[in-house]
Every structure is written in structure tokens, then in C-alpha cells.
Amino acid sequence: MEVDYVTGGKCGIANLGSTCYINTALQCLAHAPQFIHFVLTEEHEGLMKELQEVYKIQWIEKKGVAPKKFLTFLQQDFG
């Protein structure tokens, strides 16, 4: 998987109600080079797989994302 660490990740995450705090945390984590590399280049399951999908849209496809499935997994795991 080719990750563009220079121009990728500059797209936003849609606020789906009261998700601005989790969006901020996701954006901060996405700009920690070792973390984003780990998420995008390793195989994951469950919540981490959904996080990988969110970051793929931002970093590979370079699009904004509405992380509905990630938030559903997050709520199931911690809600």
C-alpha cells in the first residue's frame, strides 16, 4: 500500500452529532508518523480495522470521511 505522508491525511472527519472530540483525537493520532504507518501497513481486526478504513480514505484516497462504522465499533467496545 502506497501512503503519501506528505499530502495525505489533510481531509477532515465529518461531525456525526457529538463526535467532535473523538474526531480531534483521531486527527491527532493520524499525524503521529509511527502510529499512522502502523495502522495503514499492518493487518488489523475489529475496531483497529475500522480505524484503518477511516485513515485509508483520508491518507490514500485523500477524501473527507464520515466514520459511521468506526463509531459503531467504538460504541460496542466501550459504550
Side-chain angles (χ1 to χ4, degrees), residues 9-16 19 23 26-27 30 50-59 61-71:
K10 297 186 180 180
C11 301
I13 300 174
N15 187 350
L16 303 173
T19 62
N23 291 356
L26 293 177
Q27 291 285 45
E50 295 311 317
L51 180 60
Q52 183 180 59
E53 294 303 316
V54 169
Y55 287 156
K56 278 183 183 178
I57 294 169
Q58 286 188 291
W59 287 84
E61 298 176 24
K62 299 178 185 175
K63 298 179 184 176
V65 62
K68 293 177 186 175
K69 197 168 179 185
F70 171 78
L71 293 171

Side-chain angles (χ1 to χ4, degrees), residues 39-56:
V39 172
L40 290 176
T41 60
E42 300 293 326
E43 288 193 36
H44 302 285
E45 296 179 7
L47 183 63
M48 285 298 291
K49 177 69 175 168
E50 295 311 317
L51 180 60
Q52 183 180 59
E53 294 303 316
V54 169
Y55 287 156
K56 278 183 183 178

